[in-house]
């Protein structure tokens, strides 16, 4: 059985048997893993991250076979920190997105984020927006302007984030807290508020951690090392 053609991006590819590759694709119908035969030929040159593709697969099980793979557009040119950012997005999707779970809006957001990275837009807001969209689409989102009791966030208050509950007001300073004004800025994606971007990064680290199973993200380490060398 051959499925209808889908737009797709390669998230990851690794050798499989003698001349094939095992490829993780992102499509509007979800993430799927398929065997690409003849991966050392023309199809293999297409099966790389960030290339817009048109994909057809065959098979009924979870592991399918690629029936057709063609270019569907000009790939965004990602280099330097933008390239590492794209690899980070791919690793997040592989680690968190269940197989064959449709998320068409997340697919569109991913494609738009790649285009924005290629256009040289500021990295941090793009990464934070994608992380938030991914959590929300997977059902792990939470209110940024209300505390865990449903009360409006106080701009002058202090809060800590609790998994599965949300933001709890606290009265004393402790590591990892958030100012109310920062949370309200995040709710509006207002990155001009002092401390908003740093708070967003800290919050996304805390919110993603329970779903990553304690294993560090390889791309995050590469990104940080590249960022440090870029500063030097």
């Amino acid at each position: 059985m051959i499925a209808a053609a889908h737009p797709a991006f390669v998230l990851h590819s690794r050798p499989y048997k003698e001349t094939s590759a095992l490829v993780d694709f992102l499509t509007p119908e979800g993430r799927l893993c398929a065997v690409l035969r003849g991966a050392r030929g023309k199809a293999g040159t297409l099966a790389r991250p960030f290339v817009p593709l048109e994909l057809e697969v065959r098979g009924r099980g979870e592991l399918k076979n690629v029936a057709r793979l063609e270019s569907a557009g000009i790939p965004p040119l990602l280099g330097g920190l933008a390239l590492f950012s794209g690899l980070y997005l791919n690793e997040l999707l592989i680690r968190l997105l269940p197989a064959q779970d449709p998320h068409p809006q997340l697919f569109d957001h991913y494609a738009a984020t790649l285009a924005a990275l290629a256009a040289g837009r500021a990295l941090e807001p793009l990464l934070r927006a994608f992380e938030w969209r991914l959590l929300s689409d997977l059902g792990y989102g939470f209110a940024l302007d209300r505390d865990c009791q449903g009360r409006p966030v106080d701009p002058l208050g202090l809060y800590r984030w609790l998994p599965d509950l949300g933001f709890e007001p606290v009265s004393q300073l402790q590591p990892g807290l958030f100012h109310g004004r920062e949370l309200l800025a995040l709710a509006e994606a207002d990155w001009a508020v002092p401390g908003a971007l740093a708070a967003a990064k800290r919050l996304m680290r805390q919110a993603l951690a329970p779903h990553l199973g304690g294993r560090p993200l390889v791309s995050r380490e590469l990104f940080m090392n590249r960022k440090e060398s870029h500063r030097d």
Side-chain angles (χ1 to χ4, degrees):
M1 178 180 178
I2 299 179
H6 296 294
F9 288 96
V10 169
L11 296 177
H12 186 256
S13 178
R14 52 203 181 276
Y16 181 72
K17 296 186 176 179
E18 292 186 2
T19 61
S20 300
L22 202 57
V23 185
D24 282 292
F25 292 98
L26 177 68
T27 79
E29 299 303 310
R31 181 178 62 82
L32 63 88
C33 188
V35 176
L36 177 65
R37 304 194 184 281
R40 296 178 184 176
K42 178 184 176 182
T45 64
L46 291 175
R48 51 192 176 88
F50 318 129
V51 178
L53 299 169
E54 187 171 279
L55 170 71
E56 291 182 12
V57 296
R58 64 162 60 92
R60 299 181 181 275
E62 185 171 328
L63 182 61
K64 304 182 185 303
N65 292 293
V66 174
R68 183 172 69 88
L69 187 68
E70 295 183 5
S71 173
I74 300 173
L77 296 177
L78 301 182
L81 293 177
L83 173 60
F84 284 92
S85 297
L87 295 174
Y88 171 68
L89 301 185
N90 285 6
E91 189 175 6
L92 277 181
L93 290 167
I94 291 171
R95 293 277 295 273
L96 297 183
L97 191 63
Q100 302 184 47
D101 186 15
H103 288 280
Q105 293 180 334
L106 181 63
F107 178 88
D108 291 342
H109 189 76
Y110 174 83
T113 302
L114 293 184
L117 288 171
R121 285 179 49 189
L123 300 180
E124 296 290 341
L126 291 174
L127 296 180
R128 303 296 83 80
F130 187 84
E131 290 164 340
W132 177 252
R133 183 57 180 265
L134 178 58
L135 286 169
S136 298
D137 272 34
L138 294 178
Y140 303 136
F142 45 88
L144 292 163
D145 58 356
R146 299 267 170 179
D147 68 16
C148 57
Q149 300 297 323
R151 296 169 298 203
V153 164
D154 180 359
L156 302 178
L158 289 172
Y159 297 86
R160 64 177 176 179
W161 186 80
L162 301 175
D164 301 323
L165 293 177
F167 295 99
E168 179 185 54
V170 297
S171 57
Q172 294 182 334
L173 282 173
Q174 52 188 280
L177 293 184
F178 300 91
H179 291 279
R181 66 177 182 275
E182 296 171 342
L183 297 179
L184 294 174
L186 299 190
E188 299 294 330
D190 184 357
W191 307 117
V193 172
L197 271 175
K201 185 173 185 176
R202 191 166 69 252
L203 176 59
M204 289 299 97
R205 287 279 182 97
Q206 293 181 28
L208 288 166
H211 310 294
L212 292 173
R215 285 194 297 132
L217 288 162
V218 175
S219 55
R220 181 183 285 167
E221 297 296 326
L222 293 173
F223 180 85
M224 294 305 298
N225 291 337
R226 174 74 182 196
K227 201 170 184 179
E228 289 299 322
S229 64
H230 186 72
R231 286 174 181 169
D232 296 340

